[in-house]
Amino acid sequence: MEDRLTRLKSAMKKHTFPELKFTENHRSSIHTAIEKQDASKEDIMIAIFRSLDKEKSGYQINESLYQKGIRKFEDNEGSLYATLHELEQEGWLQSVWETDDRKLYSLDEHAKKWLKKKEAKSGSASARWRTAFEGGGTD
């Protein structure tokens, strides 16, 4: 896979964008724009649910989202905990206090069924997220 990407990059430099030069400022502004994209509530739910393959703390969920490119909670972890609390109140998540200061979250059966249904839809946002973040597709 890595070799194919390298060859694609090389071919694009030679044939598609021979005159195009990106400065570090261009790169930075593009990365900033990508990172600041708003994700819908459904996309956030899907990403959170997919990260909960086992019990995780809010910190671990935030790390998983960050690794998948979701920057919505960067520098605002409190809004993630508010979202997790809301999902818990709505019956999507279950939680247990591991220690006095560490709460672990897991998926409720309702959330597992909902996620399976979303993932089964072809062309759904969750399928695109899975393809983008986990290398799905037909390479």
Side-chain angles (χ1 to χ4, degrees):
M1 176 76 169
E2 194 68 33
D3 185 46
R4 288 177 24 194
L5 291 176
T6 303
R7 288 184 300 179
L8 175 63
K9 183 178 178 181
S10 176
M12 289 182 79
K13 272 186 177 179
K14 287 180 188 173
H15 305 289
T16 309
F17 305 114
E19 305 298 316
L20 185 61
K21 303 290 183 216
F22 278 110
T23 65
E24 190 55 40
N25 192 29
H26 286 118
R27 291 178 204 276
S28 177
S29 64
I30 290 169
H31 283 285
T32 300
I34 290 170
E35 290 173 358
K36 298 299 178 182
Q37 287 180 345
D38 288 330
S40 71
K41 181 177 179 179
E42 182 177 290
D43 290 340
I44 296 296
M45 286 175 61
I46 290 167
I48 289 172
F49 292 177
R50 295 206 89 239
S51 74
L52 286 170
D53 53 338
K54 61 180 181 174
E55 282 187 331
K56 290 185 180 172
S57 68
Y59 176 81
Q60 291 169 316
I61 294 168
N62 192 33
E63 288 294 307
S64 177
L65 295 174
Y66 185 83
Q67 289 173 357
K68 292 177 181 178
I70 299 173
R71 306 292 195 258
K72 179 178 177 77
F73 303 108
E74 186 178 28
D75 300 326
N76 190 8
E77 292 85 6
S79 63
L80 172 62
Y81 288 101
T83 300
L84 293 172
H85 179 73
E86 181 183 333
L87 292 171
E88 185 179 4
Q89 294 299 309
E90 292 173 357
W92 296 100
L93 301 179
Q94 298 174 346
S95 67
V96 295
W97 286 97
E98 183 182 50
T99 63
D100 287 342
D101 59 348
R102 184 175 154 107
K103 191 176 191 179
L104 298 177
Y105 297 90
S106 61
L107 290 181
D108 185 87
E109 287 303 314
H110 176 61
K112 289 177 184 177
K113 289 177 186 175
W114 181 85
L115 183 60
K116 272 187 181 177
K117 191 167 132 181
K118 288 291 178 184
E119 289 176 336
K121 284 177 131 177
S122 64
S124 69
S126 62
R128 289 191 304 271
W129 280 85
R130 184 175 56 242
T131 299
F133 297 131
E134 297 179 4
T138 57
D139 292 329

